[in-house]
Amino acid sequence: MSWRFITCTALFVTCLLTANTIAAKLVTVGGLTLTAGIVIFPISYVLGDVLTEVWGYAAARRVIWLGFACNALMVAAIWLGGELPAAPFWKGEAAYQEILGQAPRILLASFVAYLVGEFANAFVLAKLKVATGGRWLWVRTIGSTVVGQGLDSAVFVTLAFVGAVPAAALAGIVGAQWMVKVAYEAAATPLTYAAVAWLKSREQVDTFDYHTDFNPLKL
């Protein structure tokens, strides 16, 4: 693969890991309560759209699994760091555990939501590209985000908070996350157009998934 593909992959993984690290902070934006990960996580979907649009579903599938593996490695390293005995003079143990020591339930919800959302996003975009004959990129990017981010938000919030938060509140959190993420993708549409056009011209590739096996487990 070219350095451009590697760069897109590196940016995708960086956005994912950064979002999962800063998500411990809750923020209020326009009266909506969101995680701080909202500042960068939607960019991973923009990059996922670019990867699928230019190099196709099969390439995006490998990147999605690479991101999952890198996230799992980071979580394992953070957990191991937390288990090691703190130096007697270090006063940051409580802060370390509070910010980085996420509960197993939250981690499981994050992992499942990521896989469901990213694969749905790539699948919908690839199928829409074939259906539209490569026209109307904005329909594919926003349409795939509506599905992918909707599933990501619904799966994560449900698995992480069902039983602990009233059902009405859960629906509100899902709706807020979904709305902000889709708006983020829509606002980034000009950037997506520019990136896709530049990559296609430089790479001399424009993949259509006419005969692709969409099994997410096939590497």
Side-chain angles (χ1 to χ4, degrees), residues 28-44:
T28 300
V29 180
L32 301 175
T33 300
L34 307 164
T35 70
I38 197 69
V39 302
I40 196 169
F41 182 70
I43 298 177
S44 69

Side-chain angles (χ1 to χ4, degrees), residues 12-13 16-21 23 41 45 64-79 100 102-120 148 151-160 181 216-217:
F12 176 90
V13 173
L16 172 64
L17 299 186
T18 303
N20 285 345
T21 301
F41 182 70
Y45 271 74
I64 291 169
W65 279 114
L66 176 63
F68 181 87
C70 291
N71 194 29
L73 177 60
M74 182 185 74
V75 168
I78 291 173
W79 172 82
L100 298 178
Q102 299 182 53
R105 181 177 178 180
I106 300 296
L107 291 175
L108 175 63
S110 176
F111 282 149
V112 175
Y114 163 76
L115 290 176
V116 171
E118 288 289 354
F119 276 118
L151 288 172
D152 182 283
S153 299
V155 170
F156 175 76
V157 173
T158 301
L159 291 181
K181 291 173 180 177
L217 300 179

Side-chain angles (χ1 to χ4, degrees), residues 21 23-25 92-103:
T21 301
K25 179 177 180 178
E93 180 65 18
Y96 183 99
Q97 295 298 339
E98 181 178 358
I99 300 301
L100 298 178
Q102 299 182 53

Side-chain angles (χ1 to χ4, degrees), residues 13 32 45 47 60 72 80 83 101-102 120 128 141-142 145 169 178 205:
V13 173
L32 301 175
Y45 271 74
L47 289 165
L80 182 58
E83 291 298 304
Q102 299 182 53
L128 283 177
T141 58
I142 296 177
T145 297
W178 190 13
V205 62

Side-chain angles (χ1 to χ4, degrees), residues 31-218:
L32 301 175
T33 300
L34 307 164
T35 70
I38 197 69
V39 302
I40 196 169
F41 182 70
I43 298 177
S44 69
Y45 271 74
V46 174
L47 289 165
D49 288 345
V50 171
L51 287 163
T52 305
E53 173 68 23
V54 177
W55 289 283
Y57 178 89
R61 175 171 51 201
R62 292 194 295 271
V63 174
I64 291 169
W65 279 114
L66 176 63
F68 181 87
C70 291
N71 194 29
L73 177 60
M74 182 185 74
V75 168
I78 291 173
W79 172 82
L80 182 58
E83 291 298 304
L84 293 174
F89 55 83
W90 191 59
K91 306 302 181 183
E93 180 65 18
Y96 183 99
Q97 295 298 339
E98 181 178 358
I99 300 301
L100 298 178
Q102 299 182 53
R105 181 177 178 180
I106 300 296
L107 291 175
L108 175 63
S110 176
F111 282 149
V112 175
Y114 163 76
L115 290 176
V116 171
E118 288 289 354
F119 276 118
N121 182 74
F123 175 83
V124 171
L125 191 143
K127 286 293 189 179
L128 283 177
K129 184 174 183 179
V130 172
T132 60
R135 295 169 295 170
W136 310 320
L137 176 59
W138 65 273
V139 172
R140 301 196 292 281
T141 58
I142 296 177
S144 62
T145 297
V146 168
V147 176
Q149 292 282 21
L151 288 172
D152 182 283
S153 299
V155 170
F156 175 76
V157 173
T158 301
L159 291 181
F161 302 113
V162 68
V165 176
L170 279 179
I173 295 172
V174 171
Q177 294 269 5
W178 190 13
M179 179 180 66
V180 171
K181 291 173 180 177
V182 172
Y184 200 129
E185 173 78 31
T189 297
L191 178 60
T192 305
Y193 264 83
V196 165
W198 183 77
L199 286 169
K200 285 181 178 179
S201 66
R202 295 291 180 173
E203 294 286 297
Q204 292 296 298
V205 62
D206 186 7
T207 305
F208 283 78
D209 289 289
Y210 290 113
H211 306 293
T212 300
D213 182 350
F214 287 94
N215 180 358
L217 300 179
K218 183 176 181 181

